[in-house]
Amino acid sequence: MDQNKTGVWFPLSEPQKSRWFRYQRDSMGRGQHNNGFTARLFGLIDGDTLVLALQQLIEKHPMLRARFRFHHGEPQQLVESSVEAKVVSFEARSFTEDELMQKIMEDLFLPFDLNCPPLIRIHLYHRSDSEGVMLFVFDHIVIDGWSYWKLLDELGQFLEANASGAPRTCNPELSGSSYQDFVEWQKDWLTGPKAERQLCYWLKYLGDELPVLQVPSLINTTAQGKLVVQYERFALSLPALLTRRVRELAGQQGCSIFVPMLLAYKILLARYASATEVVVGCPMPARTKKLWEDTVGDFVNMIAIRSRFEQEVSVAGALRRLRDDVLLGMSNQDYPFNVLVNKRGLPRNADVHPIYQTMFIFQNARGSGWRGLWSILDTDQLLEWGGLNIAPFPIYQTDINLDMQLVLEAVELEDHVRCDFKFDSRLFDQATMADAAQHFIRLLEEMVENPAGQVAELSMLSQNEL
């Protein structure tokens, strides 16, 4: 297929269909699924240069020009040949930090019109002639986390080149494939033997009856009076020494730091729920073919990791078992999760996810230059980007399934890991999440201290709680 083909309606991919279903289920809250990047900007901020850079980005990547419709019972998308970049400037010189944060959060959650591209925009808040805050926001139906890092890098490159007076040449997406190609490939793949093998794997692995996660010991009764879904977060960083030791433990068991952190989270949930089995959803990039490596679009797919905790299993044994489950799950990540749910004949209840009720999201900031912006240990760090100096301006992100009670999102940085416990404030509050976060750290400390010890004997309590 011509990767720059425009003006033709084509189906949604399975990841997009899943997101579309969520949008239809909660049309009033669709803006809550927006994702965004914010940073303080220091230097001479030229709004026209920013508009030009965003326009170049949109011209380069077809999916940034996509529009959507519902036609004859099916959602469809079309790539326009050209659309106009949207940069909204706002004078915020008189705003307090709290007022600015409130304004940015309101703008972050403004829903896009899916029939009016681009589904990406920039808000620029002027604090002075040489200082501002930028919000780069997009609808997830056209961009996933993998695309996110790529677009930030390229936007900075366009900005710097334009500011120097030598505009960067805007070549169309040159990955050798377009998102339209991916949609067609996925449709064909689902009718073949590889898809059948992956479906058989998941049906056998997950089994017939799945446990439903319930954590009554964490629920705060005063928070239960809230009627409106509102997600909050509690953020902390694993200390550098603990991070190093967890990485060493992972290396000893032939896995990445993802596995011991997932195990600690599962143990934490099992303790709170008094459960012997826990199922956790984990998003995967699902770019298993090199062909899609540089293609901007929504590829992300979920896998579910089911763990049974036996009394006698050691930490090392549990890590190896979980490592094997994760590797098998990753090798079968091409099978669309929403199709799996349909194949199992599971009801799509608006209140309870049919397979898992919690998620573990693990990210590694692609390109070491971005890592400092996610650190909560050094919020004054300055980085160079687009000919400007930028510093962190943290905002709260809610791009999670609205039927999740609790989500742990971890971002691996240079010498530590940032952890955000994102939770439904109708059920939990900041105090209970602070306790949960400390229990999580304590479990990791116990795991690295005695890998040969039994999981059942790990303590998650501090000396003050004993």
Side-chain angles (χ1 to χ4, degrees), residues 6 51 54-67 78-86 115-120:
T6 60
V51 172
L54 182 58
Q55 189 69 51
Q56 290 168 315
L57 200 65
I58 290 170
E59 290 172 4
K60 180 175 182 180
H61 298 290
M63 284 306 294
L64 301 186
R65 306 191 302 274
R67 70 187 324 141
L78 172 147
V79 174
E80 295 284 7
S81 57
S82 64
V83 298
E84 185 177 344
K86 297 179 181 179
N115 193 39
C116 186
L119 304 186
I120 181 173

Side-chain angles (χ1 to χ4, degrees), residues 290-346:
K290 189 173 179 62
L291 198 61
W292 321 121
E293 195 170 81
D294 294 320
T295 304
V296 167
D298 184 15
F299 290 78
V300 70
N301 189 37
M302 298 299 299
I303 64 172
I305 306 298
R306 182 176 189 173
S307 297
R308 299 174 178 83
F309 293 103
E310 300 168 358
Q311 285 292 323
E312 305 299 322
V313 68
S314 67
V315 171
L319 282 171
R320 289 191 294 270
R321 185 178 302 173
L322 182 57
R323 174 202 65 196
D324 292 344
D325 283 352
V326 168
L327 289 174
L328 281 169
M330 291 175 67
S331 68
N332 288 279
Q333 66 178 287
D334 279 329
Y335 200 87
F337 199 79
N338 61 311
V339 179
L340 173 64
V341 170
N342 292 335
K343 292 287 187 180
R344 285 177 59 94
L346 297 173

Side-chain angles (χ1 to χ4, degrees), residues 342-399:
N342 292 335
K343 292 287 187 180
R344 285 177 59 94
L346 297 173
R348 288 179 175 268
N349 188 295
D351 298 319
V352 180
H353 192 280
I355 292 183
Y356 53 80
Q357 293 78 49
T358 185
M359 293 166 57
F360 177 63
I361 304 171
F362 187 84
Q363 299 190 61
N364 188 306
R366 295 177 64 203
S368 59
W370 292 109
R371 292 176 179 173
L373 293 181
W374 271 259
S375 174
I376 56 178
L377 301 179
D378 184 8
T379 57
D380 296 325
Q381 183 174 171
L382 288 177
L383 302 173
E384 292 184 3
W385 177 78
L388 301 166
N389 289 320
I390 63 174
F393 187 90
I395 57 172
Y396 171 58
Q397 292 288 293
T398 63
D399 182 48

